[in-house]
Amino acid sequence: MPSMAGFAHAQTVSDDQAQPSATDNGDTIVITAEEIRAMQAHKMADVLNHVPGVTAGDSSVGIHGVYKVKVFVDGRPINDPTSSHGAVNWELVSPAEVERIEVLRGKGGLRYGQDASGGVILITTQRATRLTGNVKVYGGNYGTGYGYANLQMSAGRWSAGVSGGFETTDGYKTNNDKERWQSGAKVGYAIDPGRHLSLSVDHLEDERGSSGLPDYPTPHARKSSDNTNLSLRASWDPVTSTTFFNEGQNHNTDRSRGIDQRLRVSEWGEDLSVTKATGKWGELNTGAAFRLSRASGTNFDDQQEQTGSLFAAQTLHLFDRRLTLTAGLRGNVNSAFDDAVNPEVKLTYKKTPWRLSAVYSRTDNTPSFYQRYNQTSSTRPNPDLNMETADNYSLSLFVEPHARLSGSISLFYNRLADRITYVTGEDGIGQYRNFGLVTYTGGDLAVAWKAHDTLKIKGSYTYMEAVNEEVDRWLPAKARHTIHLDVYWKPTRPVSIVLTNKYVSKVYRNTANTKTVPEYMLTDLRAEYAFGRFSLFTEIENLFDKTYYYADGLLAPPLCWLVGMSWRI
């Protein structure tokens, strides 16, 4: 949750744990607290959308077009168990509390398990050393309001904290309103940095309307949900244990279509890992995991599924640590799907001022209970969905020829068998289905240039071909070209301005490639005036009030603005 800063930091595998800067290493992107502050981001999606190849929304995140991404905050998962594609409860973490974010693009399944074909995101919050906190409020057009507060303190070996927040909006179109509440608490006990224990609990409630596609509106469709997240995390070097319980409930109604559906999903889990040094050349990481998932709903019999996993990975540092090789296997045993053994191999060569890495990984994505059994005004269930398998390859180069100039280039090839995707029918109602074989092929190019002490420019370009190989057609909702250009300007010490620009090429709306969503270009503006512990800020999204559509054909927001203030305790 947002307020629980810095009790137990996330554990990562091998050299992914030691990346010093946001563009260091092509396959792993690291974002620091300083860079997050410079972005003036108010939500986690705002932070992640600055990462090449990443697309994030209020409750989603995708990497290179794949939305099966696992997200952890201080080692505990925050993916929503009731969602269709691994949606994320971003309200459990605030950008202001984040110390570090690691984005593992196209890998991570070896350590973190199934449902990670897109990659893994590891978020580490700041370590609390005294009485601290933060209060943020803002308001904007379309009846937008937001308030959030947290407070944490430490005394000796003990630490504790609480947080709470709300968000509301009337929406920019019919039946687009939303109201959301969040609360949480955490307590921790630390013997020393390598031995600690923490217990956390979070709760989210959400009520909103669903407007539907412009051609097939659903003015009476409503959705309410609540999520509870419990986590007990213990670390006693070299062993780390995370025990968690996630439960979510959804209630979908549409009186015009006679729909009144409930879905409840709970998941118990245990992750155990051990990291041991294996001499001067490297370390061995081993572990085990277990998941027990249960689901109940209005229109299907109760379901229960189990997954057990074992993994091992060896890291070797050679040639004065310039060359690093990590190789490992993970075995998954599923009660409802096929068992699998998945490898992951990474080779990295470092020499100032550049770094080259090559990665291969395989992971499996299991269809969610939502995809198989839930029914709404726009979705039919499909209980016959199969597990999909992803083989990901990447080659990345990072260079820093000058202290003020750095860049990276990354090539990727992702091959998904039996890929699960949402297909919209001619009546506007869709269903999740398996395709035989799809591929994602492309690359990312990123450049960061500090032109002046007061001016920094960052740009990125992603090219991606997303093809259904069975019929040689483009996949729906996947753009070929995506461009970001961000300008950070700090004309005086208290004033900072961020101008972000984004271009997305046209996408197909259907599998037959006969309907398209047009290309669009957006400009957003953020500005802040900071004095002491206070700051005043404003943000304007879609500055030039462009009319555009999301990749799934939904109408996107027009010009939206907000103004607010923040106070650090």
mmCIF file of all heavy atoms in Angstrom, residues 393-435:
data_model
loop_
_atom_site.group_PDB
_atom_site.id
_atom_site.type_symbol
_atom_site.label_atom_id
_atom_site.label_comp_id
_atom_site.label_asym_id
_atom_site.label_seq_id
_atom_site.Cartn_x
_atom_site.Cartn_y
_atom_site.Cartn_z
ATOM 1 N N TYR A 393 12.877 -14.037 -26.595
ATOM 2 C CA TYR A 393 14.292 -13.817 -26.905
ATOM 3 C C TYR A 393 14.542 -12.315 -26.949
ATOM 4 O O TYR A 393 13.713 -11.551 -27.483
ATOM 5 C CB TYR A 393 14.665 -14.409 -28.265
ATOM 6 C CG TYR A 393 14.357 -15.880 -28.435
ATOM 7 C CD1 TYR A 393 13.081 -16.321 -28.762
ATOM 8 C CD2 TYR A 393 15.361 -16.842 -28.289
ATOM 9 C CE1 TYR A 393 12.798 -17.666 -28.942
ATOM 10 C CE2 TYR A 393 15.094 -18.190 -28.459
ATOM 11 C CZ TYR A 393 13.806 -18.593 -28.788
ATOM 12 O OH TYR A 393 13.526 -19.931 -28.963
ATOM 13 N N SER A 394 15.680 -11.878 -26.419
ATOM 14 C CA SER A 394 16.015 -10.453 -26.507
ATOM 15 C C SER A 394 17.526 -10.271 -26.560
ATOM 16 O O SER A 394 18.291 -11.071 -26.010
ATOM 17 C CB SER A 394 15.435 -9.675 -25.321
ATOM 18 O OG SER A 394 16.071 -10.038 -24.118
ATOM 19 N N LEU A 395 17.933 -9.198 -27.227
ATOM 20 C CA LEU A 395 19.332 -8.794 -27.327
ATOM 21 C C LEU A 395 19.381 -7.294 -27.087
ATOM 22 O O LEU A 395 18.693 -6.537 -27.782
ATOM 23 C CB LEU A 395 19.899 -9.141 -28.705
ATOM 24 C CG LEU A 395 21.364 -8.749 -28.952
ATOM 25 C CD1 LEU A 395 22.286 -9.550 -28.028
ATOM 26 C CD2 LEU A 395 21.733 -8.982 -30.423
ATOM 27 N N SER A 396 20.154 -6.861 -26.088
ATOM 28 C CA SER A 396 20.110 -5.466 -25.656
ATOM 29 C C SER A 396 21.504 -4.887 -25.517
ATOM 30 O O SER A 396 22.435 -5.568 -25.069
ATOM 31 C CB SER A 396 19.378 -5.354 -24.310
ATOM 32 O OG SER A 396 18.122 -5.993 -24.353
ATOM 33 N N LEU A 397 21.619 -3.614 -25.870
ATOM 34 C CA LEU A 397 22.879 -2.884 -25.749
ATOM 35 C C LEU A 397 22.617 -1.555 -25.075
ATOM 36 O O LEU A 397 21.736 -0.798 -25.494
ATOM 37 C CB LEU A 397 23.508 -2.642 -27.130
ATOM 38 C CG LEU A 397 24.754 -1.741 -27.153
ATOM 39 C CD1 LEU A 397 25.922 -2.421 -26.434
ATOM 40 C CD2 LEU A 397 25.133 -1.386 -28.593
ATOM 41 N N PHE A 398 23.370 -1.274 -24.008
ATOM 42 C CA PHE A 398 23.315 0.017 -23.326
ATOM 43 C C PHE A 398 24.664 0.713 -23.467
ATOM 44 O O PHE A 398 25.716 0.081 -23.292
ATOM 45 C CB PHE A 398 22.991 -0.162 -21.846
ATOM 46 C CG PHE A 398 23.187 1.087 -21.039
ATOM 47 C CD1 PHE A 398 22.228 2.077 -21.033
ATOM 48 C CD2 PHE A 398 24.349 1.271 -20.293
ATOM 49 C CE1 PHE A 398 22.418 3.234 -20.293
ATOM 50 C CE2 PHE A 398 24.542 2.427 -19.558
ATOM 51 C CZ PHE A 398 23.565 3.414 -19.558
ATOM 52 N N VAL A 399 24.640 2.011 -23.794
ATOM 53 C CA VAL A 399 25.876 2.781 -23.933
ATOM 54 C C VAL A 399 25.737 4.107 -23.201
ATOM 55 O O VAL A 399 24.649 4.690 -23.138
ATOM 56 C CB VAL A 399 26.226 3.048 -25.413
ATOM 57 C CG1 VAL A 399 26.551 1.744 -26.124
ATOM 58 C CG2 VAL A 399 25.099 3.778 -26.129
ATOM 59 N N GLU A 400 26.863 4.572 -22.635
ATOM 60 C CA GLU A 400 26.897 5.874 -21.966
ATOM 61 C C GLU A 400 28.216 6.554 -22.328
ATOM 62 O O GLU A 400 29.176 6.563 -21.557
ATOM 63 C CB GLU A 400 26.768 5.719 -20.455
ATOM 64 C CG GLU A 400 26.553 7.042 -19.740
ATOM 65 C CD GLU A 400 26.289 6.840 -18.260
ATOM 66 O OE1 GLU A 400 26.593 5.744 -17.738
ATOM 67 O OE2 GLU A 400 25.778 7.782 -17.621
ATOM 68 N N PRO A 401 28.276 7.141 -23.516
ATOM 69 C CA PRO A 401 29.540 7.731 -23.964
ATOM 70 C C PRO A 401 29.936 8.972 -23.194
ATOM 71 O O PRO A 401 31.101 9.369 -23.223
ATOM 72 C CB PRO A 401 29.249 8.058 -25.437
ATOM 73 C CG PRO A 401 27.757 8.227 -25.500
ATOM 74 C CD PRO A 401 27.208 7.267 -24.509
ATOM 75 N N HIS A 402 28.958 9.600 -22.515
ATOM 76 C CA HIS A 402 29.233 10.835 -21.798
ATOM 77 C C HIS A 402 28.316 10.890 -20.585
ATOM 78 O O HIS A 402 27.232 10.285 -20.581
ATOM 79 C CB HIS A 402 28.998 12.048 -22.716
ATOM 80 C CG HIS A 402 29.495 13.344 -22.147
ATOM 81 N ND1 HIS A 402 28.718 14.126 -21.309
ATOM 82 C CD2 HIS A 402 30.677 13.990 -22.295
ATOM 83 C CE1 HIS A 402 29.399 15.204 -20.972
ATOM 84 N NE2 HIS A 402 30.601 15.145 -21.562
ATOM 85 N N ALA A 403 28.730 11.602 -19.550
ATOM 86 C CA ALA A 403 27.921 11.705 -18.337
ATOM 87 C C ALA A 403 26.555 12.318 -18.605
ATOM 88 O O ALA A 403 25.601 12.073 -17.866
ATOM 89 C CB ALA A 403 28.661 12.534 -17.284
ATOM 90 N N ARG A 404 26.443 13.111 -19.672
ATOM 91 C CA ARG A 404 25.181 13.761 -19.997
ATOM 92 C C ARG A 404 24.402 13.045 -21.100
ATOM 93 O O ARG A 404 23.331 13.495 -21.484
ATOM 94 C CB ARG A 404 25.427 15.217 -20.438
ATOM 95 C CG ARG A 404 25.903 16.130 -19.319
ATOM 96 C CD ARG A 404 26.158 17.531 -19.840
ATOM 97 N NE ARG A 404 26.525 18.449 -18.769
ATOM 98 C CZ ARG A 404 25.661 19.225 -18.121
ATOM 99 N NH1 ARG A 404 24.380 19.193 -18.465
ATOM 100 N NH2 ARG A 404 26.061 20.032 -17.174
ATOM 101 N N LEU A 405 24.942 11.950 -21.625
ATOM 102 C CA LEU A 405 24.297 11.286 -22.756
ATOM 103 C C LEU A 405 24.353 9.773 -22.577
ATOM 104 O O LEU A 405 25.408 9.212 -22.298
ATOM 105 C CB LEU A 405 24.989 11.670 -24.061
ATOM 106 C CG LEU A 405 24.420 11.053 -25.344
ATOM 107 C CD1 LEU A 405 23.003 11.564 -25.599
ATOM 108 C CD2 LEU A 405 25.319 11.362 -26.537
ATOM 109 N N SER A 406 23.201 9.129 -22.713
ATOM 110 C CA SER A 406 23.145 7.666 -22.633
ATOM 111 C C SER A 406 22.035 7.173 -23.548
ATOM 112 O O SER A 406 21.135 7.938 -23.932
ATOM 113 C CB SER A 406 22.895 7.200 -21.193
ATOM 114 O OG SER A 406 21.622 7.656 -20.739
ATOM 115 N N GLY A 407 22.097 5.894 -23.871
ATOM 116 C CA GLY A 407 21.072 5.328 -24.743
ATOM 117 C C GLY A 407 21.101 3.821 -24.722
ATOM 118 O O GLY A 407 22.048 3.197 -24.217
ATOM 119 N N SER A 408 20.057 3.215 -25.262
ATOM 120 C CA SER A 408 19.987 1.760 -25.329
ATOM 121 C C SER A 408 19.200 1.349 -26.560
ATOM 122 O O SER A 408 18.344 2.095 -27.054
ATOM 123 C CB SER A 408 19.342 1.177 -24.074
ATOM 124 O OG SER A 408 17.971 1.562 -23.993
ATOM 125 N N ILE A 409 19.501 0.167 -27.040
ATOM 126 C CA ILE A 409 18.734 -0.439 -28.122
ATOM 127 C C ILE A 409 18.480 -1.888 -27.742
ATOM 128 O O ILE A 409 19.367 -2.573 -27.221
ATOM 129 C CB ILE A 409 19.468 -0.330 -29.478
ATOM 130 C CG1 ILE A 409 18.582 -0.901 -30.589
ATOM 131 C CG2 ILE A 409 20.826 -0.997 -29.426
ATOM 132 C CD1 ILE A 409 19.108 -0.603 -31.983
ATOM 133 N N SER A 410 17.258 -2.339 -27.950
ATOM 134 C CA SER A 410 16.869 -3.689 -27.558
ATOM 135 C C SER A 410 16.041 -4.309 -28.668
ATOM 136 O O SER A 410 15.093 -3.686 -29.169
ATOM 137 C CB SER A 410 16.059 -3.648 -26.256
ATOM 138 O OG SER A 410 15.618 -4.938 -25.891
ATOM 139 N N LEU A 411 16.397 -5.523 -29.058
ATOM 140 C CA LEU A 411 15.644 -6.287 -30.049
ATOM 141 C C LEU A 411 14.948 -7.441 -29.341
ATOM 142 O O LEU A 411 15.538 -8.086 -28.465
ATOM 143 C CB LEU A 411 16.574 -6.825 -31.134
ATOM 144 C CG LEU A 411 17.435 -5.794 -31.856
ATOM 145 C CD1 LEU A 411 18.361 -6.494 -32.862
ATOM 146 C CD2 LEU A 411 16.569 -4.751 -32.556
ATOM 147 N N PHE A 412 13.703 -7.724 -29.708
ATOM 148 C CA PHE A 412 12.967 -8.790 -29.044
ATOM 149 C C PHE A 412 12.182 -9.621 -30.046
ATOM 150 O O PHE A 412 11.762 -9.137 -31.103
ATOM 151 C CB PHE A 412 12.017 -8.233 -27.978
ATOM 152 C CG PHE A 412 10.959 -7.292 -28.512
ATOM 153 C CD1 PHE A 412 9.736 -7.773 -28.975
ATOM 154 C CD2 PHE A 412 11.177 -5.922 -28.542
ATOM 155 C CE1 PHE A 412 8.771 -6.917 -29.473
ATOM 156 C CE2 PHE A 412 10.209 -5.047 -29.028
ATOM 157 C CZ PHE A 412 9.000 -5.553 -29.495
ATOM 158 N N TYR A 413 12.011 -10.878 -29.700
ATOM 159 C CA TYR A 413 11.178 -11.803 -30.464
ATOM 160 C C TYR A 413 10.448 -12.685 -29.458
ATOM 161 O O TYR A 413 11.081 -13.452 -28.727
ATOM 162 C CB TYR A 413 12.017 -12.670 -31.405
ATOM 163 C CG TYR A 413 11.224 -13.750 -32.112
ATOM 164 C CD1 TYR A 413 10.323 -13.434 -33.123
ATOM 165 C CD2 TYR A 413 11.385 -15.089 -31.761
ATOM 166 C CE1 TYR A 413 9.589 -14.428 -33.765
ATOM 167 C CE2 TYR A 413 10.659 -16.087 -32.412
ATOM 168 C CZ TYR A 413 9.767 -15.748 -33.402
ATOM 169 O OH TYR A 413 9.039 -16.724 -34.049
ATOM 170 N N ASN A 414 9.134 -12.543 -29.400
ATOM 171 C CA ASN A 414 8.310 -13.294 -28.465
ATOM 172 C C ASN A 414 7.359 -14.187 -29.255
ATOM 173 O O ASN A 414 6.626 -13.709 -30.124
ATOM 174 C CB ASN A 414 7.508 -12.355 -27.553
ATOM 175 C CG ASN A 414 8.395 -11.394 -26.793
ATOM 176 O OD1 ASN A 414 9.562 -11.681 -26.552
ATOM 177 N ND2 ASN A 414 7.853 -10.245 -26.419
ATOM 178 N N ARG A 415 7.363 -15.460 -28.912
ATOM 179 C CA ARG A 415 6.566 -16.453 -29.633
ATOM 180 C C ARG A 415 5.583 -17.099 -28.657
ATOM 181 O O ARG A 415 5.997 -17.761 -27.709
ATOM 182 C CB ARG A 415 7.503 -17.506 -30.241
ATOM 183 C CG ARG A 415 6.851 -18.550 -31.127
ATOM 184 C CD ARG A 415 7.927 -19.476 -31.674
ATOM 185 N NE ARG A 415 7.375 -20.443 -32.630
ATOM 186 C CZ ARG A 415 6.887 -21.627 -32.275
ATOM 187 N NH1 ARG A 415 6.879 -21.979 -30.989
ATOM 188 N NH2 ARG A 415 6.410 -22.453 -33.193
ATOM 189 N N LEU A 416 4.287 -16.897 -28.883
ATOM 190 C CA LEU A 416 3.258 -17.386 -27.979
ATOM 191 C C LEU A 416 2.400 -18.439 -28.669
ATOM 192 O O LEU A 416 1.805 -18.169 -29.719
ATOM 193 C CB LEU A 416 2.345 -16.247 -27.492
ATOM 194 C CG LEU A 416 2.887 -15.364 -26.357
ATOM 195 C CD1 LEU A 416 3.940 -14.395 -26.897
ATOM 196 C CD2 LEU A 416 1.759 -14.591 -25.698
ATOM 197 N N ALA A 417 2.370 -19.634 -28.088
ATOM 198 C CA ALA A 417 1.510 -20.699 -28.589
ATOM 199 C C ALA A 417 0.217 -20.725 -27.778
ATOM 200 O O ALA A 417 0.241 -20.568 -26.556
ATOM 201 C CB ALA A 417 2.222 -22.042 -28.468
ATOM 202 N N ASP A 418 -0.904 -20.907 -28.483
ATOM 203 C CA ASP A 418 -2.229 -20.900 -27.853
ATOM 204 C C ASP A 418 -2.492 -19.593 -27.111
ATOM 205 O O ASP A 418 -3.091 -19.581 -26.031
ATOM 206 C CB ASP A 418 -2.389 -22.074 -26.887
ATOM 207 C CG ASP A 418 -2.510 -23.396 -27.617
ATOM 208 O OD1 ASP A 418 -3.060 -23.412 -28.727
ATOM 209 O OD2 ASP A 418 -2.040 -24.412 -27.080
ATOM 210 N N ARG A 419 -2.072 -18.492 -27.685
ATOM 211 C CA ARG A 419 -2.252 -17.196 -27.041
ATOM 212 C C ARG A 419 -3.719 -16.919 -26.743
ATOM 213 O O ARG A 419 -4.606 -17.198 -27.547
ATOM 214 C CB ARG A 419 -1.711 -16.081 -27.936
ATOM 215 C CG ARG A 419 -1.944 -14.678 -27.376
ATOM 216 C CD ARG A 419 -1.434 -13.631 -28.338
ATOM 217 N NE ARG A 419 -1.703 -12.283 -27.858
ATOM 218 C CZ ARG A 419 -2.800 -11.591 -28.153
ATOM 219 N NH1 ARG A 419 -3.716 -12.116 -28.936
ATOM 220 N NH2 ARG A 419 -2.979 -10.370 -27.689
ATOM 221 N N ILE A 420 -3.968 -16.342 -25.565
ATOM 222 C CA ILE A 420 -5.325 -15.983 -25.141
ATOM 223 C C ILE A 420 -5.564 -14.525 -25.488
ATOM 224 O O ILE A 420 -4.787 -13.646 -25.099
ATOM 225 C CB ILE A 420 -5.495 -16.194 -23.629
ATOM 226 C CG1 ILE A 420 -5.216 -17.651 -23.269
ATOM 227 C CG2 ILE A 420 -6.900 -15.811 -23.193
ATOM 228 C CD1 ILE A 420 -5.092 -17.891 -21.780
ATOM 229 N N THR A 421 -6.642 -14.254 -26.223
ATOM 230 C CA THR A 421 -6.955 -12.880 -26.573
ATOM 231 C C THR A 421 -8.456 -12.670 -26.623
ATOM 232 O O THR A 421 -9.224 -13.620 -26.802
ATOM 233 C CB THR A 421 -6.341 -12.500 -27.940
ATOM 234 O OG1 THR A 421 -6.453 -11.087 -28.147
ATOM 235 C CG2 THR A 421 -7.034 -13.228 -29.076
ATOM 236 N N TYR A 422 -8.848 -11.426 -26.442
ATOM 237 C CA TYR A 422 -10.261 -11.064 -26.453
ATOM 238 C C TYR A 422 -10.682 -10.733 -27.879
ATOM 239 O O TYR A 422 -10.037 -9.933 -28.554
ATOM 240 C CB TYR A 422 -10.499 -9.857 -25.543
ATOM 241 C CG TYR A 422 -11.945 -9.444 -25.395
ATOM 242 C CD1 TYR A 422 -12.785 -10.088 -24.494
ATOM 243 C CD2 TYR A 422 -12.468 -8.400 -26.154
ATOM 244 C CE1 TYR A 422 -14.112 -9.697 -24.346
ATOM 245 C CE2 TYR A 422 -13.785 -8.011 -26.023
ATOM 246 C CZ TYR A 422 -14.607 -8.660 -25.118
ATOM 247 O OH TYR A 422 -15.912 -8.276 -24.980
ATOM 248 N N VAL A 423 -11.751 -11.374 -28.337
ATOM 249 C CA VAL A 423 -12.245 -11.183 -29.698
ATOM 250 C C VAL A 423 -13.661 -10.632 -29.626
ATOM 251 O O VAL A 423 -14.548 -11.247 -29.026
ATOM 252 C CB VAL A 423 -12.222 -12.503 -30.490
ATOM 253 C CG1 VAL A 423 -12.743 -12.279 -31.907
ATOM 254 C CG2 VAL A 423 -10.816 -13.079 -30.531
ATOM 255 N N THR A 424 -13.882 -9.472 -30.234
ATOM 256 C CA THR A 424 -15.201 -8.842 -30.243
ATOM 257 C C THR A 424 -16.005 -9.314 -31.442
ATOM 258 O O THR A 424 -15.518 -9.286 -32.576
ATOM 259 C CB THR A 424 -15.076 -7.305 -30.284
ATOM 260 O OG1 THR A 424 -14.284 -6.869 -29.182
ATOM 261 C CG2 THR A 424 -16.447 -6.650 -30.216
ATOM 262 N N GLY A 425 -17.230 -9.758 -31.206
ATOM 263 C CA GLY A 425 -18.097 -10.221 -32.285
ATOM 264 C C GLY A 425 -18.790 -9.084 -32.994
ATOM 265 O O GLY A 425 -18.682 -7.906 -32.616
ATOM 266 N N GLU A 426 -19.534 -9.416 -34.033
ATOM 267 C CA GLU A 426 -20.231 -8.410 -34.817
ATOM 268 C C GLU A 426 -21.333 -7.718 -34.013
ATOM 269 O O GLU A 426 -21.768 -6.620 -34.354
ATOM 270 C CB GLU A 426 -20.841 -9.052 -36.069
ATOM 271 C CG GLU A 426 -19.809 -9.580 -37.055
ATOM 272 C CD GLU A 426 -18.892 -8.489 -37.591
ATOM 273 O OE1 GLU A 426 -19.357 -7.337 -37.737
ATOM 274 O OE2 GLU A 426 -17.713 -8.772 -37.855
ATOM 275 N N ASP A 427 -21.795 -8.357 -32.928
ATOM 276 C CA ASP A 427 -22.827 -7.765 -32.091
ATOM 277 C C ASP A 427 -22.251 -6.920 -30.968
ATOM 278 O O ASP A 427 -22.991 -6.447 -30.096
ATOM 279 C CB ASP A 427 -23.733 -8.852 -31.505
ATOM 280 C CG ASP A 427 -22.950 -9.885 -30.702
ATOM 281 O OD1 ASP A 427 -21.699 -9.796 -30.680
ATOM 282 O OD2 ASP A 427 -23.584 -10.782 -30.116
ATOM 283 N N GLY A 428 -20.917 -6.733 -30.967
ATOM 284 C CA GLY A 428 -20.277 -5.925 -29.943
ATOM 285 C C GLY A 428 -19.967 -6.682 -28.668
ATOM 286 O O GLY A 428 -19.405 -6.116 -27.732
ATOM 287 N N ILE A 429 -20.328 -7.966 -28.600
ATOM 288 C CA ILE A 429 -20.054 -8.790 -27.425
ATOM 289 C C ILE A 429 -18.888 -9.717 -27.752
ATOM 290 O O ILE A 429 -18.865 -10.366 -28.794
ATOM 291 C CB ILE A 429 -21.292 -9.606 -27.014
ATOM 292 C CG1 ILE A 429 -22.452 -8.650 -26.689
ATOM 293 C CG2 ILE A 429 -20.986 -10.486 -25.802
ATOM 294 C CD1 ILE A 429 -23.737 -9.357 -26.336
ATOM 295 N N GLY A 430 -17.909 -9.790 -26.847
ATOM 296 C CA GLY A 430 -16.699 -10.543 -27.129
ATOM 297 C C GLY A 430 -16.533 -11.764 -26.253
ATOM 298 O O GLY A 430 -17.355 -12.072 -25.381
ATOM 299 N N GLN A 431 -15.414 -12.462 -26.477
ATOM 300 C CA GLN A 431 -15.093 -13.689 -25.758
ATOM 301 C C GLN A 431 -13.590 -13.908 -25.825
ATOM 302 O O GLN A 431 -12.942 -13.571 -26.815
ATOM 303 C CB GLN A 431 -15.833 -14.871 -26.391
ATOM 304 C CG GLN A 431 -15.677 -16.189 -25.662
ATOM 305 C CD GLN A 431 -16.383 -17.317 -26.388
ATOM 306 O OE1 GLN A 431 -16.122 -17.573 -27.572
ATOM 307 N NE2 GLN A 431 -17.274 -18.009 -25.688
ATOM 308 N N TYR A 432 -13.014 -14.468 -24.753
ATOM 309 C CA TYR A 432 -11.596 -14.815 -24.762
ATOM 310 C C TYR A 432 -11.414 -16.144 -25.470
ATOM 311 O O TYR A 432 -12.129 -17.111 -25.205
ATOM 312 C CB TYR A 432 -11.057 -14.886 -23.332
ATOM 313 C CG TYR A 432 -10.959 -13.532 -22.687
ATOM 314 C CD1 TYR A 432 -12.004 -13.033 -21.918
ATOM 315 C CD2 TYR A 432 -9.841 -12.726 -22.877
ATOM 316 C CE1 TYR A 432 -11.933 -11.783 -21.334
ATOM 317 C CE2 TYR A 432 -9.754 -11.470 -22.300
ATOM 318 C CZ TYR A 432 -10.807 -11.005 -21.525
ATOM 319 O OH TYR A 432 -10.724 -9.752 -20.965
ATOM 320 N N ARG A 433 -10.404 -16.193 -26.388
ATOM 321 C CA ARG A 433 -10.159 -17.390 -27.183
ATOM 322 C C ARG A 433 -8.670 -17.656 -27.308
ATOM 323 O O ARG A 433 -7.843 -16.762 -27.137
ATOM 324 C CB ARG A 433 -10.767 -17.235 -28.592
ATOM 325 C CG ARG A 433 -12.272 -17.011 -28.616
ATOM 326 C CD ARG A 433 -12.751 -16.812 -30.038
ATOM 327 N NE ARG A 433 -14.166 -16.454 -30.089
ATOM 328 C CZ ARG A 433 -14.808 -16.103 -31.195
ATOM 329 N NH1 ARG A 433 -14.153 -16.050 -32.356
ATOM 330 N NH2 ARG A 433 -16.083 -15.789 -31.147
ATOM 331 N N ASN A 434 -8.332 -18.913 -27.618
ATOM 332 C CA ASN A 434 -6.950 -19.292 -27.917
ATOM 333 C C ASN A 434 -6.678 -19.202 -29.407
ATOM 334 O O ASN A 434 -7.507 -19.615 -30.212
ATOM 335 C CB ASN A 434 -6.673 -20.733 -27.479
ATOM 336 C CG ASN A 434 -6.614 -20.902 -25.982
ATOM 337 O OD1 ASN A 434 -7.530 -21.437 -25.388
ATOM 338 N ND2 ASN A 434 -5.531 -20.454 -25.373
ATOM 339 N N PHE A 435 -5.526 -18.619 -29.776
ATOM 340 C CA PHE A 435 -5.046 -18.665 -31.149
ATOM 341 C C PHE A 435 -3.897 -19.673 -31.223
ATOM 342 O O PHE A 435 -3.212 -19.926 -30.226
ATOM 343 C CB PHE A 435 -4.563 -17.295 -31.614
ATOM 344 C CG PHE A 435 -5.674 -16.352 -31.944
ATOM 345 C CD1 PHE A 435 -6.148 -15.451 -31.004
ATOM 346 C CD2 PHE A 435 -6.268 -16.377 -33.195
ATOM 347 C CE1 PHE A 435 -7.178 -14.574 -31.306
ATOM 348 C CE2 PHE A 435 -7.297 -15.508 -33.511
ATOM 349 C CZ PHE A 435 -7.754 -14.611 -32.564
#
